[in-house]
Amino acid sequence: MSDTAQQNPNAPSPDLVSAIRAKVEADAETIKKELTELVAFPSVHGEEDTKQACRDAAAHVVELFADAGVDLDSHVTVDGSIALTGHIPAPEGRPTVLLYSHYDVQPAGDVSEWTADPWTLDERDGRWYGRGTADCKGNVVMHLAALRALRALRALRELDDDPASAVELPGIRVVVEGSEERGSAGLEDLTRTRPELFAADVILIADVGNVAVGRPTLVTTLRGTADVDVTLETLAGPVHSGMFGGAAPDALAAMMRLLDSLRDDTGATRIDGLDCDQTWEGLGYDADTFRGDAGVLDGVDLVSDGSDASVADLTWARPALIVTGIDCPPATNAVNAIPSKVTAHLNLRVPPGMDPQEAQDRLVAHLESHVPWNARIDIRRDVLASSFSADVEGGVVKHVEACLAASYGRETERMGEGASIPLCATLLDAVPDADIVLYGVEEPQCRIHSSDESVDPREIRDIAVAEALILATIGR
């Protein structure tokens, strides 16, 4: 254990750390078995051919938590997903802690880009591969491992010399979502119609991860989103590129010019009237590490290269405009015709402290004022998601940091996260006095949302130990 962990007044006792670690390590085969079973369900919400897989995955999660001592109820939500909730009431004077994760996953995409079947857990070079191994089924089994470890220790309480003799669980709520990857509409509605299912003093969201394997990290900020779909039309229909090319307005070329107006010469996001120059205060993100984490090709510059902005500034503190999809004629079997209509989906990530509605308004105004050749423009606004900032000075955050440090044997770090978890804002609205803390098993090597997604089983082990320590000692 690090000197920092030993000196921290919030740190759990070394005996308790050792006892919980022993239980989690003894559970390794069960953890792998459970994750193998969950990965086998292609639980992609919102697709007709995976509806049964989603139902089966939800039913299996219920069985797994029942075995760990928590009974879950199933709720069919407004978006057709199944949300799972459970509750163990708090003993007198102890807080209630909500444990969150989700069992739905991203589609596998092009299966040919995977080294092995995405729906079969495959072990290679010490990592476990498969869709959902990290995001977020790896976090589901992490919760289960933490709960089982505490349950096993409580069974030994009659032994006076056992460090588990002081273990008493707080109140526990479990929420396992079924449509997080499609925007959480079902769970958001459930928080409005059944707020009592989410009543808690502390909310532990396991859907992020460490800055690197073996480096315990709390995610303290998340960006929100303010997406739009923009469509440009220039012609009544495609026309022959030989007969009309040169004078006829090309919708795809117009879209390229419009999208280029959203970046400066270094490639950084620039939107008229929107502050895009914030700086990140805290743990930095080394450029070489970022290149490796993101898989940047050799010789390709980062957007931060040649500018005053750091990687952390650009990924955690500033707005970022990414073109995540574009509908235009494909290059395969291309027809010699001038495109008449093009649509692009623009993903605008909004940093903490910035109103996503204002950001979306500024983006729309920018697009409307930079349309080339007076092309007809149509903009459809997507649903907004708020950013999130944790109360880093609060006692709960410090306690969680101490438990992570005790598990890993080194000081806990803090970082931002460029992604969005709309549920954070939803839960803050539903439970405004709760402390929300984010951690999990999804470190950068996991390649979540990509082919060959994977998880390091040591991260599941060590985060489970930390979570068990949190539950065993919080509010004591």
Side-chain angles (χ1 to χ4, degrees):
M1 183 180 299
S2 69
D3 291 340
T4 300
Q6 290 176 329
Q7 295 169 3
N8 192 322
N10 296 299
S13 71
D15 284 345
L16 182 60
V17 176
S18 297
I20 287 177
R21 178 168 292 279
K23 294 301 179 185
V24 174
E25 289 179 343
D27 204 24
E29 288 303 313
T30 299
I31 292 171
K32 184 177 181 180
K33 175 179 177 292
E34 290 176 339
L35 188 55
T36 299
E37 293 168 349
L38 287 176
V39 167
F41 296 106
S43 47
V44 179
H45 173 67
E47 297 188 1
E48 189 64 32
D49 60 351
T50 58
K51 281 185 176 180
Q52 187 60 49
C54 290
R55 289 191 286 265
D56 292 343
H60 195 65
V61 170
V62 170
E63 293 177 7
L64 294 177
F65 273 94
D67 290 342
V70 183
D71 293 327
L72 301 184
D73 295 322
S74 299
H75 310 270
V76 179
T77 60
V78 293
D79 63 0
S81 67
I82 300 174
L84 308 172
T85 66
H87 182 214
I88 298 176
E92 183 69 26
R94 295 296 302 281
T96 294
V97 180
L98 187 155
L99 308 178
Y100 168 87
S101 53
H102 62 89
Y103 66 84
D104 68 303
V105 296
Q106 284 283 328
D110 185 351
V111 176
S112 68
E113 295 182 358
W114 289 73
T115 302
D117 175 25
W119 309 113
T120 301
L121 188 142
D122 182 47
E123 184 170 1
R124 303 193 304 273
D125 301 321
R127 296 183 69 90
W128 296 342
Y129 288 80
R131 176 59 86 223
T133 49
D135 184 20
C136 188
K137 292 172 180 178
N139 285 304
V140 173
V141 301
M142 179 276 294
H143 286 321
L144 291 165
L147 292 169
R148 277 196 303 271
L150 292 175
R151 191 179 189 189
L153 287 180
R154 294 185 72 204
L156 300 175
R157 289 185 64 187
E158 66 274 12
L159 300 178
D160 292 341
D161 60 347
D162 192 281
S165 61
V167 170
E168 183 179 37
L169 292 181
I172 294 177
R173 288 193 184 275
V174 173
V175 175
V176 188
E177 187 180 358
S179 61
E180 192 275 342
E181 301 291 2
R182 290 292 187 269
S184 298
L187 200 66
E188 288 183 3
D189 181 74
L190 194 62
T191 63
R192 290 190 291 268
T193 58
R194 297 288 305 277
E196 73 278 5
L197 298 175
F198 304 88
D201 301 292
V202 178
I203 299 173
L204 303 180
I205 295 183
D207 195 12
V208 288
N210 292 336
V211 67
V213 174
R215 290 172 58 184
T217 310
L218 279 188
V219 172
T220 58
T221 65
L222 296 167
R223 291 191 291 198
T225 58
D227 295 9
V228 302
D229 286 309
V230 56
T231 299
L232 296 182
E233 287 188 273
T234 57
L235 302 166
V239 295
H240 194 283
S241 60
M243 294 177 64
F244 300 102
D250 179 333
L252 179 55
M255 181 64 76
M256 293 165 63
R257 292 175 67 90
L258 179 59
L259 297 179
D260 187 57
S261 73
L262 294 164
R263 292 182 179 272
D264 64 18
D265 291 341
T266 69
T269 297
R270 285 287 179 257
I271 297 172
D272 293 348
L274 194 66
D275 182 8
C276 297
D277 293 313
Q278 299 90 335
T279 56
W280 171 256
E281 302 294 337
L283 175 69
Y285 201 158
D286 176 73
D288 288 338
T289 301
F290 178 84
R291 294 183 69 89
D293 291 344
V296 179
L297 299 178
D298 289 344
V300 177
D301 292 339
L302 299 181
V303 171
S304 59
D305 293 344
S307 75
D308 294 332
S310 69
V311 169
D313 293 338
L314 294 170
T315 55
W316 301 337
R318 298 185 180 186
L321 192 288
I322 304 96
V323 182
T324 56
I326 188 164
D327 293 330
C328 60
T332 303
N333 299 318
V335 176
N336 290 329
I338 300 172
S340 60
K341 180 179 179 179
V342 176
T343 298
H345 183 81
L346 309 187
N347 172 224
L348 178 58
R349 299 285 179 169
V350 180
M354 181 175 289
D355 180 6
Q357 182 64 68
E358 179 186 357
Q360 191 178 62
D361 290 344
R362 298 289 189 183
L363 174 58
V364 169
H366 179 109
L367 294 169
E368 290 175 338
S369 65
H370 287 77
V371 180
W373 315 318
N374 289 317
R376 293 183 182 178
I377 184 170
D378 179 69
I379 300 173
R380 185 184 67 82
R381 295 171 182 254
D382 210 339
V383 177
L384 301 170
S386 297
S387 59
F388 168 78
S389 292
D391 177 12
V392 296
E393 299 304 322
V396 169
V397 164
K398 294 183 183 301
H399 180 70
V400 172
E401 285 181 326
C403 290
L404 283 164
S407 176
Y408 281 85
R410 60 182 293 169
E411 185 176 359
T412 300
E413 302 173 74
R414 297 174 181 175
M415 72 171 184
E417 172 67 65
S420 305
I421 302 179
L423 180 66
C424 289
T426 300
L427 289 174
L428 278 177
D429 288 341
V431 196
D433 295 329
D435 287 284
I436 296 181
V437 186
L438 295 94
Y439 56 80
V441 306
E442 302 166 25
E443 41 78 28
Q445 292 183 55
C446 291
R447 289 172 54 91
I448 64 172
H449 294 199
S450 183
S451 58
D452 280 354
E453 177 183 347
S454 69
V455 70
D456 190 318
R458 295 172 298 178
E459 292 291 271
I460 296 178
R461 176 199 66 197
D462 292 340
I463 296 293
V465 171
E467 183 165 283
L469 291 170
I470 295 165
L471 295 175
T473 58
I474 195 166
R476 294 185 65 83

